Amino acid sequence: MSFQTFFTTVPDKEQVPFPYQQRLAEEPWPETLIVPTGFGKTAAVLAAWLWKTARQDPKTPRRLVYCLPMRTLVEQTEEVARDWIQAAKSHLNISVQLDVLMGGRTGGRRSIPPWMLAPDRPTILIGTQDLLVSAALMRGYGAPRYRWPVDFALLNNDVLWVFDEVQLTGAALATSAQLEAFRRRFNSCRPCGTLWMSATLDPVWLRTVDFAPADSARPHDLSEADLSQARHLWRARKRLCRLDVSTNDLAKKEGLKAYTSALAAAARDRAKSGKNTIVFLNTVARAQAVYEALGQAAGGVKRLLMHSRFRKVDRDRLTKRLRGDPANGGRILVTTQALEAGVDVSSALMITEIAPWSSLVQRFGRCNRYGECGEDGADVLWIDLDDAYAPPYTSDDFRLSREKLTGLEACGPADLAAIAPSAPCRGHVIRRRDLLDLFDTDPDLSGFDIDISLYVRDADDTDVRLFWRHLPEREDPAEDAPEPGRDELCPAPIAGAKRLLGRGARAWRRDPLARQWRRIGKDEVFPGMVIWIDAVSGGYDTEKGFDPDSKATVVCETVLPTAAQDGPGDDPDSLTGAAGKRGVRVSLAKHSAHVRDNAAALCAGLAVPKRDRETVVEAALWHDLGKAHPAFVAKTRDALGNGIEPPLAKWPSAIQAKARAPDERRYFRHELASSLGYLAQQGWSEQASLAAYLIAAHHGKVRMRLRALPKEQGPAGTDGLFARGVHHGDLLPETRLDGLVVPETRLDLDLMRLGDGPCGASWSARTQALLEEHGPFRLAWLEALVRIADWRASDAEERAGDDDV
């Protein structure tokens, strides 16, 4: 099948591809793609990646990461991707995984999305830059802390990043360029690439201290053949003129009311029967005010408010209404930046506040988008604002846009082609040392992490995620209260969240070290934080979205049952039988063999080089040696008997010890004992450091540093070394790992000390040396392979349904 034929197999895509779409599929991936709105950039990328994947193009990575600046674009892109994936399955005979990263609790006992279990399969990931870029920096917003290294590995190896609507990405634009430069410098284990695309893009925007773009500046990537085929789009008529309304005193209640009332009247009076009218405001607050001013508009004109500050369930409801046809009397869509890019909607009339030129071009693309208005054309009215009301933009943004708007009477693609795009503001630039520092995922002693928000969003565009639940008055959430689900979360600007808490709203955040929900005030709110709000405190309306001034009790979403806790001392991965499955017992010897075999198969499927493969398989065999430690065996005591002898690696979650045994330790980490035992058997050789690190890191809880936890206590009556429940001098009994018999081993924690000692280099020195030798992407990749092999083996053991001892 030719690419041209494949392109026509998707419903509603019966037309042949544009020539630029054909070139994208048949030529090497470019760095940039500059195409006007409405010309099918999303379809071009998805179809080209699927086509190249089916043909096993060696320069096309297994994972396509489609990164979007706004949450409202994600669901639409997901829907398009599903259609293309189904077409590829039917006509190209390839099966592709799809996942959408939206934050919140994910399914499964270990919060592991299915695509992570199969890094050897083609996968499309779609999400916002907040979640995707933060995950690529080892601090994934909304992702479980102990899964961060796996997210980091899979998003920086064997991946093609696509940044759509780059003019809206803010600080993430420079970060994306730096990450591409770092992947080239540190030599990722698998091929990687980045494609930046927009209707308004100058490749020079990508230049950073470490990255030099190969592409040159150009108006667009359309050939004469493209323009001829898409003449109805290229020549779509869009008249442009200024709308005079009073914009005085918008900061005052009376001035805002006068402005929004006048704007609502202008939209209502000009609305066209059976057509959309779109009103773009630069702030959510003004959009909400215009929506209220419209009221239940007379004459059959319907109203709809769309912005990015809604919970998913309400956003889905609004999106469904948006996709429906306008009423006979017309429909007025009141919106913000949330609708200016990527959303497949058109209008016969548009009213917009002045904005950065790149944003205006995107907004113009939502008017007469398909040329459906014919010779009659459509109208775009723009409103000038005083520089005092520029935020979230700048006065320079407004000045440059005024210069371009002056004398411009039409704003179709052909009318705008010769106008150079305005460069977006540059944010902070992440450097090599910053990236290496982020590889250490341990929080500080206060439970906080390195703030990466300055690399993800502009400093004045940082978000938190809120969710509302009912709580009895003066009570705090229970320690085991579940994390929020995706449907509960609502993105909110940090200033708005502080305003909500500042007026007395009760709020909590999850403390991962203390394993409890901790009450917070407005001065403790940081970007990326997930915050529980007491429902009676208000702050949200199902029609208007996040509103810090709303005091009405919030209607709450259903809360799913809590998942197994996974704190520093918890070990939910050792339990079987969750989610209705039958629990099984698996001996340490058998489980070690299963993980080793899965690691070998995984490495073979990914063509991992021999030396790395041998190290990963070695680590997989030894990874659970520490489960022979008496402190771990004590946890399994109620699962023993009837001929079942220790040590067990897995046992049913329904069999839980009712009380802590005398030799059971609260913060015990079996993987640290495994790593120390392995090093001891290798004579503490520094050549064994990589395998020892992979063993220690296979739950994400023991990685770059060895230290005791804040509430951890050592052995009574001594001042000996201790960390993560392991005490200096502990003994591991003779243990069988499949066919390997490991003799009794003494665990030495001298590695906790700085400098060289009886056991050679310290743990910190060893891990830093590994980071320097292998680089962050390769080291995380090997770490992820061991963990994924463990997950796959564990799932297979549960599916078998029988004890394996």
Side-chain angles (χ1 to χ4, degrees), residues 116-138:
M116 280 191 176
L117 294 172
D120 47 348
R121 285 185 56 196
T123 302
I124 295 176
L125 305 176
I126 304 171
T128 61
Q129 67 186 59
D130 301 72
L131 299 182
L132 287 169
V133 176
S134 64
L137 294 174
M138 193 83 86

Side-chain angles (χ1 to χ4, degrees), residues 282 340 353-361 363 393-394 397-398 401 422:
N282 292 344
E340 75 181 28
E353 294 182 330
I354 191 171
W357 181 248
S358 58
S359 293
L360 287 177
V361 172
R363 295 178 186 186
Y393 306 121
T394 68
D397 290 330
F398 282 11
S401 290
S422 299

Side-chain angles (χ1 to χ4, degrees), residues 469-746:
R469 290 180 186 166
H470 290 288
L471 279 173
E473 189 176 356
R474 291 188 294 276
E475 286 191 18
D476 291 329
E479 285 189 5
D480 62 348
E483 298 281 348
R486 290 173 176 172
D487 288 353
E488 294 180 87
L489 291 172
C490 175
I494 194 167
K498 289 183 176 182
R499 183 174 172 181
L500 176 61
L501 270 62
R503 67 169 178 78
R506 294 203 304 158
W508 298 263
R509 76 168 181 93
R510 184 73 180 174
D511 186 329
L513 290 181
R515 297 175 54 195
Q516 62 185 18
W517 292 93
R518 200 180 82 184
R519 182 77 180 267
I520 60 171
K522 66 182 182 66
D523 295 330
E524 299 174 274
V525 177
F526 298 100
M529 187 177 284
V530 176
I531 303 174
W532 178 329
I533 306 292
D534 188 358
V536 299
S537 297
Y540 186 86
D541 181 89
T542 56
E543 286 294 320
K544 294 173 58 182
F546 173 70
D547 181 359
D549 296 323
S550 174
K551 297 181 180 179
T553 297
V554 177
V555 177
C556 298
E557 294 302 307
T558 302
V559 179
L560 298 176
T562 182
Q565 293 296 309
D566 195 12
D570 294 316
D571 207 349
D573 286 357
S574 294
L575 304 177
T576 63
K581 298 178 182 177
R582 179 179 179 272
V584 297
R585 300 168 178 82
V586 184
S587 71
L588 175 56
K590 293 293 185 64
H591 178 67
S592 300
H594 298 160
V595 178
R596 177 202 58 202
D597 294 344
N598 271 271
L602 184 60
C603 289
L606 291 166
V608 175
K610 180 181 178 182
R611 182 178 176 185
D612 290 343
R613 181 173 70 248
E614 290 173 347
T615 303
V616 167
V617 172
E618 173 103 336
L621 179 64
W622 287 76
H623 79 290
D624 271 354
L625 172 67
K627 288 185 175 180
H629 192 290
F632 189 89
V633 172
K635 297 181 179 182
T636 71
R637 63 186 184 277
D638 289 343
L640 302 174
N642 296 323
I644 297 176
E645 300 293 332
L648 290 177
K650 306 281 183 177
W651 70 98
S653 58
I655 304 176
Q656 290 279 22
K658 297 180 176 57
R660 192 180 302 274
D663 50 354
E664 187 179 342
R665 300 173 188 170
R666 181 178 181 185
Y667 296 108
F668 180 75
R669 295 309 319 163
H670 68 270
E671 62 268 34
L672 174 56
S674 301
S675 182
L676 294 173
Y678 175 78
L679 279 173
Q681 291 300 318
Q682 307 305 315
W684 304 99
S685 167
E686 293 190 29
Q687 300 301 314
S689 294
L690 177 56
Y693 170 79
L694 300 181
I695 292 168
H698 83 267
H699 285 295
K701 300 181 181 183
V702 182
R703 299 184 68 249
M704 300 299 289
R705 288 179 283 172
L706 289 187
R707 68 181 187 191
L709 294 175
K711 296 182 180 180
E712 186 175 358
Q713 296 180 351
T718 74
D719 57 358
L721 297 170
F722 63 94
R724 307 299 179 97
V726 177
H727 300 168
H728 184 70
D730 281 350
L731 291 177
L732 290 180
E734 181 180 275
T735 306
R736 185 168 64 87
L737 305 176
D738 193 30
L740 175 68
V741 177
V742 181
E744 183 181 68
T745 307
R746 180 180 181 275

